[in-house]
């Protein structure tokens, strides 16, 4: 290959060595031994092969555009082949009457079947070279294609490469695992994944490669978790004392659910282990994570430490503060709130008292991580709703104590099991998988503008019953002013249909000053207003049990996890609650599936799974930036059994040989030593 092509390979595909090329796998194999017929083909297949003749070839000009059209027949029917680019060259190279293999996906254009830019080859070629009955299709880019590196050109290169690959290559997976799972050998898999001799063989090769990818991924994460556990030092919270016991025995507002108890035990075990806790607490919206935070904070206090609780928004921090004050009234525990909107003098005083050890629990927002916030003896940090905090922000909290504090990160965005297993293999994870008793699932329906009168009537009925209503508008950062206009228009229309003094409305949006927001939230919380019209500022954590109706406008513009979070704002008071998803009439197929998912289930984990399926893991909030998810082959949804198998294998391997000292694990040890990818061995 010449230097200019080599440069394209390097630039466009990150291929620099033979090894890189060998690992540039085709994303599809076309089985050219299976020829479909035009009168009867499976339209679900992404790629089909037809064999027949071109009977007519001509260019068509309409407007400024010229295209090349060919009529193709295979004896069972007719279809049209179309090209929009490279017309001259294609026209000259095609011959009427010659038998071709035509490959691609036919679509119906009007009443005519058509393939745009099909792959074509003279059929006799295929007959002469049956080894290439299975054609690898490689991903390529526009740029590479223009420089002569389309999928066929890449196939020519890999095909040449195959002739030079040695017969043997060192195995990269432990021999017993290869045997146990009947995996293909490394060298066979690397050959067959490019040039299989049957589709089954290709599947086997793919399986082996996915297994290897997931196995090493697990090895990385689990190995660093063990390293962390071995080396980290943490404060030992040896006792459960008066503060915990007093609250637990006399002030607990309701009996804990079984799941809450179990999770508190798990945290408790970490706290007295002598190692620093790094725990992720997952629990669906409304599952009662706050109480878990409070109770475990009391354990920290019992062990002479200070604790802090960090929330992503001021509204939420303020609400936590109010709850803590309520729960801890008359218990001689000093709780303070530190948020950006406090006056400078107030902040200064709080910081002084904090440094002197006169505050036990500090609740706040980002303000907590400013450098001048110094604790006397910080022992425990709880972070609510982790997705709003960046990695860097968390690590600042980390540094606020000589012995690192125990850390609990609480998230209400459930992560699908396989994803958690993959991403957090190095973290400890607790799950609250049980709701407090008496919750009724929120009845969810879908509506459009045609249903608006009906919707308003329904809202009136609920308000007449003494209930309250949320109406939420999306706020997408790119066009804040436009979104705000949506919100204001909506507010006006609602005010007309719900006139004062009979109805009282609140409005909250991101561009209001903090105290105005807090004032409106407060009025709604106290039941003074009936309807809260807002942007997604209420998304996270707000708790108004008397609200039973959640109307989400432009629901098609929200992601599934956001919709789920919003819906979680209602259904907290024991009364039957409702969520109405308002959308425009025409929906894309993913939007429709999202709305259908919401209408059919309230299980956060099921929704997270659906989200993963609809969006693909690469899109999951925050994951892409964090670079945590770097699987190339394996799919967390489809390959769940493989994820589980590799996790278990790595687990038992590290169980018997935690330092990878056994001779048969030499290869794995080398991998760990040479591998310099970042290690996410701390949450922060
Ligand atoms: P989240 O997990 O979403 O943060 P919260 O901690 O805000 O949930 O709790 C949701 C609601 O459930 C609150 O009103 C809280 O008082 C209530 N709650 C929490 N634990 C229990 C329990 N064990 N029994 C009954 N209600 C509970
Ligand atoms: Mg919460």
């Amino acid at each position: 290959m010449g230097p200019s092509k080599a440069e394209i390979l390097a630039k466009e595909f990150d291929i620099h060595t033979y090894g890189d090329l060998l690992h540039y796998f085709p994303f599809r194999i076309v089985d050219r031994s299976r020829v479909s017929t035009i009168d009867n083909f499976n339209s679900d297949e992404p790629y089909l092969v037809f064999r027949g003749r071109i009977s007519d070839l001509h260019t068509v000009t309409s407007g400024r555009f010229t295209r090349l059209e060919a009529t193709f027949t295979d004896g069972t029917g007719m279809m049209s082949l179309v090209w929009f680019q490279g017309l001259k060259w294609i026209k000259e190279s095609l011959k009427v009457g010659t038998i071709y293999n035509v490959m691609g996906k036919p679509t119906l254009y009007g009443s005519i079947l058509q393939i745009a830019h099909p792959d074509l080859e003279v059929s006799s070629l295929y007959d002469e070279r049956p080894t290439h009955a299975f054609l690898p299709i490689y991903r390529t880019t526009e740029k590479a294609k223009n420089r002569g590196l389309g999928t066929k050109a890449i196939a020519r290169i890999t095909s040449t490469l195959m002739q030079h690959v040695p017969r043997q290559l060192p195995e990269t997976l432990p021999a017993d695992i290869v045997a146990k799972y009947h995996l293909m050998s490394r060298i066979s898999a690397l050959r067959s994944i490019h040039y299989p001799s049957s589709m089954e063989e290709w599947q086997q090769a793919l399986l082996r490669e996915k297994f290897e990818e997931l196995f090493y991924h697990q090895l990385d994460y689990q190995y660093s978790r063990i390293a962390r556990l071995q080396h980290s030092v943490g404060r030992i919270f040896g006792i459960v004392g008066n503060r915990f016991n007093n609250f637990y025995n006399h002030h607990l507002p309701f009996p804990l659910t079984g799941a809450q108890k179990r999770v508190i035990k798990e945290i408790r075990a970490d706290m007295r282990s002598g190692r620093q806790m790094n725990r992720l607490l997952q629990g669906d919206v409304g599952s009662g994570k706050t109480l878990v935070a409070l109770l475990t904070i009391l354990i920290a206090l019992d062990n002479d430490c200070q604790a802090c609780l960090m929330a992503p928004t001021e509204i939420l921090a303020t609400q936590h503060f109010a709850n803590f004050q309520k729960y801890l009234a008359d218990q001689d525990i000093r709780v303070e709130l530190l948020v950006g909107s406090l006056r400078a003098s107030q902040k200064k005083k709080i910081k002084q008292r904090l440094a002197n050890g006169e505050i036990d629990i500090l609740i706040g927002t980002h303000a907590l991580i400013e450098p001048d916030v110094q604790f006397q003896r910080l022992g425990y940090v709880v972070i609510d709703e982790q997705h709003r905090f960046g990695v860097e922000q968390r690590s600042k909290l980390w540094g606020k104590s000589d012995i690192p504090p125990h850390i609990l990160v609480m998230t209400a965005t459930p992560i699908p099991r396989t994803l958690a297993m993959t991403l957090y293999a190095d973290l400890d994870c607790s799950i609250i998988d049980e709701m407090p008793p008496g919750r009724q699932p929120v009845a969810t329906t879908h509506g459009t503008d045609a249903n608006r009168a009906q919707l308003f009537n329904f809202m009136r009925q609920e308000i007449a019953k003494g209930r309250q209503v949320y109406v939420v508008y999306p706020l997408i950062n790119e066009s804040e002013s436009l979104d705000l206009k949506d919100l204001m228009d909506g507010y006006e229309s609602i005010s007309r249909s719900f006139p004062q003094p009979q109805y009282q409305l609140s409005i909250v949006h991101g561009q209001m000053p903090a105290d105005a927001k807090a004032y409106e939230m407060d009025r709604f919380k106290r039941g003074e207003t009936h309807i809260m019209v807002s942007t997604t500022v209420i998304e996270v954590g707000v708790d108004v049990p008397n609200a039973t109706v959640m109307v989400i406008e432009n629901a098609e513009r929200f992601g599934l996890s956001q919709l789920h979070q919003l819906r979680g704002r209602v259904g907290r008071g024991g009364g039957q609650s409702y969520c109405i998803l308002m959308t425009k009439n025409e929906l894309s197929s993913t939007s429709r599936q999202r709305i259908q998912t919401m209408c059919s289930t309230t299980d956060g984990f099921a929704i997270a799974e659906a989200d993963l399926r609809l969006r693909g893991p690469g899109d999951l909030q925050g994951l892409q930036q964090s670079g945590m998810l770097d699987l190339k082959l394996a799919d967390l949804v489809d390959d769940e059994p493989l994820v589980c198998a590799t996790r278990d294998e790595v687990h038992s391997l590290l169980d018997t040989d935690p330092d990878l000292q056994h001779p048969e694990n030499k290869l794995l040890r080398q991998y760990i030593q040479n591998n310099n990818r970042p290690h996410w061995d701390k949450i922060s």
Side-chain angles (χ1 to χ4, degrees), residues 285-286 289-290 316 319-320 384-385 410 412 540-542 569 572:
V285 191
K289 293 184 293 294
T290 315
L316 194 57
Q319 181 176 299
H320 278 316
D384 197 7
E385 313 291 356
M410 307 197 293
V540 182
V542 175
R569 300 303 115 214
R572 307 186 141 220

Side-chain angles (χ1 to χ4, degrees), residues 446-679:
H446 175 205
T448 62
D449 267 332
N451 311 105
R452 193 160 296 277
Q454 213 183 334
L455 170 69
F456 282 180
N457 276 335
F458 177 71
M459 286 163 59
R460 285 191 197 98
Q461 282 168 24
E462 284 291 303
I463 293 170
K465 288 189 208 158
R467 302 301 197 177
Q468 290 163 284
V469 178
Y470 290 107
V471 181
V472 177
Y473 287 82
L475 189 89
I476 317 283
N477 292 335
E478 293 102 69
S479 60
E480 253 181 53
S481 53
L482 212 86
D483 290 325
L484 201 60
K485 187 171 174 309
D486 268 5
L487 175 79
M488 288 307 181
D489 291 351
Y491 179 72
E492 301 238 305
S493 129
I494 294 168
S495 339
R496 275 196 302 277
S497 301
F498 295 84
Q500 285 189 345
Q502 194 186 353
Y503 298 102
Q504 299 292 330
L505 273 59
S506 282
I507 181 164
V508 169
H509 59 79
Q511 296 183 0
M512 282 161 63
D515 51 349
K517 272 194 256 183
Y519 172 77
E520 288 295 337
M521 282 305 305
D522 246 27
R523 292 207 313 149
F524 187 67
K525 243 171 131 167
R526 287 200 301 264
E528 292 171 17
T529 56
H530 302 105
I531 304 177
M532 162 64 73
V533 182
S534 80
T535 53
T536 37
V537 286
I538 62 157
E539 183 187 330
V540 182
V542 175
D543 193 21
V544 182
N546 190 48
T548 54
V549 182
M550 167 65 65
V551 180
I552 304 177
E553 295 287 347
N554 303 323
E556 72 275 9
R557 289 172 63 187
F558 289 95
L560 261 179
S561 70
Q562 258 184 321
L563 290 173
H564 180 62
Q565 287 285 314
L566 285 170
R567 181 169 60 184
R569 300 303 115 214
V570 295
R572 307 186 141 220
Q576 174 64 53
S577 295
Y578 306 88
C579 175
I580 298 101
L581 304 169
M582 298 295 282
T583 69
K584 55 184 186 188
N585 286 316
E586 296 283 309
L587 291 179
S588 71
S589 105
T590 21
S591 298
R592 193 169 321 109
Q593 276 174 278
R594 278 205 294 264
I595 302 289
Q596 274 166 5
T597 305
M598 287 298 294
C599 292
S600 64
T601 180
T602 53
D603 175 350
F605 282 89
I607 288 170
E609 296 277 353
D611 202 20
L612 188 63
R613 246 172 255 273
L614 287 177
R615 292 202 289 171
D619 276 355
L620 278 187
Q621 212 178 6
L623 294 185
Q624 221 153 23
Q625 301 99 297
S626 69
M628 287 201 285
L629 205 62
D630 53 359
L631 297 174
K632 283 199 300 209
L633 287 179
D635 180 301
L636 292 176
V637 176
D638 294 342
D639 298 317
E640 180 166 351
L642 280 186
V643 174
C644 297
T646 50
R647 178 204 50 184
D648 294 346
E649 289 301 338
V650 170
H651 193 263
S652 69
L653 182 113
L654 289 175
D655 225 24
T656 43
D657 186 15
D659 297 317
L660 300 174
Q661 292 303 322
H662 297 182
E664 71 270 20
N665 292 330
K666 183 168 158 223
L667 189 93
L668 303 181
R669 186 172 69 247
Q670 276 170 353
Y671 168 81
I672 289 283
Q673 279 163 355
N674 298 337
N675 185 16
N676 48 15
R677 56 185 275 167
H679 275 197

Side-chain angles (χ1 to χ4, degrees), residues 238-281:
I239 57 163
V240 171
N242 285 339
R243 285 172 157 158
F244 181 94
N245 288 327
N246 182 31
F247 180 80
Y248 193 82
N249 297 325
H250 305 297
H251 299 278
L252 202 61
F254 15 61
L256 296 181
T257 61
Q260 283 171 320
K261 283 188 197 160
R262 174 172 42 79
V263 162
I264 290 172
K265 271 197 198 120
E266 287 166 1
I267 295 171
R268 167 97 186 91
D270 279 359
M271 286 177 156
R272 69 176 154 216
S273 70
R275 292 187 299 260
Q276 183 212 15
M277 174 171 82
N278 243 306
R279 192 168 275 278
L280 181 74
L281 174 60

